[in-house]
Amino acid sequence: MNVEEREMYDFANILIHSAGTKLKQEHKRSVIKVREKTSQMDLVTEHDLLIEKLLVKAILEKYPGHGILAEECQTWASSDLSGYTWVIDPIDGTINYYRFGKDYAISLALYLGEKPIFGLVFDVANGVMFAAGQGEGAIMNGYRLDILPDRQERLNKAVVGISLRTMRDFVGMGMDVLGMLSTVQAYRYLGCASLELCKVANGEYDLFFSSNVHEWDVAAARVFLEQRGGGLLIRRKDDTGSRCGKLLVAAFRSPLIWEEAVEYLPQGLRDQFEA
């Protein structure tokens, strides 16, 4: 990061902490009103909208020429996202937020075109900040983390993060999901993609698959994962070129485990991830 980008990073760090404090207060004192967007699993609350507006207002007041790509309103500012663009997920894991009050995150990233500059993922309920800048390493709650050493375990020792919906989608694409999952040690699903990518980064998961995420779900956590030495493969599910479309995502800690896992993918899907 250059000097200007480091100033943006410091601004973002303060801003996301402030948004997290606001969100915890609202969760305690408000009746949470929920509505469906596209399905019973795709929800939005008034608090999603509140936090997004808070973040967007602060960013555009300080950086009025920047682009915004945000979950609830998608593009707030210039539709030209070739310059500096802030990618925002005000509440990743909305169901977790309103049902359980935990396992959700505020996700904020800065990109230059499609190149990530930095990312911040704030696990609000646990007060944990996952942060990373391109070429700057990863930081968790102010402590700098080393790149994790290469793991030599094979797929039969892996813990995989995957949802039932992703299993269904990948089966529909011809993937031998049951074959893979019968080989691994365990599989889990948290319901918050940004935190699940951070789990891959920190070695809690070995693999993560999703067919139901958007750029704002993974933009910030991607930087943290890559700065810890993990790999993330992203492919768009459609060919419209829109940055608002759904993504196919595969994340891994160990190339050895990924090499085994990819054998369960059909050739067409394998080609997409290897392209």
Side-chain angles (χ1 to χ4, degrees):
M1 293 188 290
N2 59 35
V3 174
E4 182 184 17
E5 290 163 353
R6 194 173 299 281
E7 290 176 355
M8 295 180 203
Y9 171 83
D10 292 338
F11 162 76
N13 207 328
I14 294 170
L15 178 60
I16 198 171
H17 270 107
S18 175
T21 299
K22 178 70 172 175
L23 187 56
K24 287 188 79 171
Q25 291 171 348
E26 291 298 322
H27 190 275
K28 288 179 180 178
R29 70 188 183 196
S30 304
V31 175
I32 303 174
K33 297 179 181 178
V34 186
R35 64 176 173 83
E36 293 183 7
K37 290 193 289 185
T38 61
S39 73
Q40 75 273 18
M41 294 179 286
D42 185 16
L43 306 177
V44 63
T45 71
E46 291 181 340
H47 296 175
D48 292 82
L49 301 173
L50 173 70
I51 296 303
E52 184 168 298
K53 289 179 181 177
L54 183 156
L55 294 171
V56 170
K57 182 175 184 290
I59 291 167
L60 292 183
E61 284 179 352
K62 189 157 182 77
Y63 304 106
H66 288 191
I68 301 286
L69 178 63
E71 178 177 11
E72 303 310 334
C73 288
Q74 299 187 13
T75 52
W76 280 76
S78 169
S79 59
D80 178 11
L81 301 180
S82 60
Y84 283 119
T85 299
W86 297 79
V87 186
I88 301 169
D89 192 341
I91 305 178
D92 183 15
T94 297
I95 293 176
N96 293 345
Y97 170 72
Y98 95 88
R99 290 293 298 270
F100 315 122
K102 63 179 182 177
D103 296 330
Y104 64 92
I106 301 174
S107 183
L108 179 61
L110 179 70
Y111 277 56
L112 181 58
E114 296 199 12
K115 174 189 174 186
I117 304 299
F118 62 73
L120 298 153
V121 176
F122 189 22
D123 179 348
V124 178
N126 291 314
V128 178
M129 179 71 77
F130 305 94
Q134 193 64 252
E136 302 281 333
I139 296 171
M140 191 166 74
N141 275 7
Y143 292 95
R144 188 166 296 279
L145 304 174
D146 295 328
I147 292 177
L148 286 178
D150 289 338
R151 299 183 64 175
Q152 300 303 312
E153 287 91 344
R154 311 300 296 193
L155 188 61
N156 64 352
K157 298 296 184 182
V159 175
V160 180
I162 188 170
S163 71
L164 286 172
R165 186 160 43 155
T166 293
M167 291 181 203
R168 181 197 64 195
D169 288 351
F170 276 29
V171 166
M173 297 176 200
M175 180 179 177
D176 184 8
V177 174
L178 292 180
M180 183 191 72
L181 293 181
S182 66
T183 301
V184 305
Q185 193 167 66
Y187 70 91
R188 300 287 184 264
Y189 176 57
L190 186 65
C192 178
S194 58
L195 292 182
E196 290 182 295
L197 288 181
C198 291
K199 285 180 176 291
V200 177
N202 287 339
E204 297 174 53
Y205 287 3
D206 298 287
L207 285 168
F208 173 72
F209 289 100
S210 182
S211 62
N212 292 284
V213 293
H214 295 83
E215 184 166 349
W216 44 80
D217 296 304
V218 300
R222 167 191 177 182
V223 191
F224 186 80
L225 171 65
E226 291 175 346
Q227 291 301 302
R228 292 225 73 192
L232 181 66
L233 303 174
I234 301 174
R235 296 295 175 264
R236 302 197 182 278
K237 288 184 75 171
D238 56 52
D239 57 3
T240 65
S242 169
R243 290 178 69 173
C244 297
K246 283 192 176 182
L247 306 175
L248 298 174
V249 167
F252 55 89
R253 277 285 317 130
S254 164
L256 291 176
I257 288 178
W258 173 247
E259 286 173 9
E260 286 191 59
V262 79
E263 295 298 320
Y264 291 91
L265 274 61
Q267 192 61 51
L269 191 54
R270 194 180 309 176
D271 289 345
Q272 285 192 59
F273 279 124
E274 292 178 347

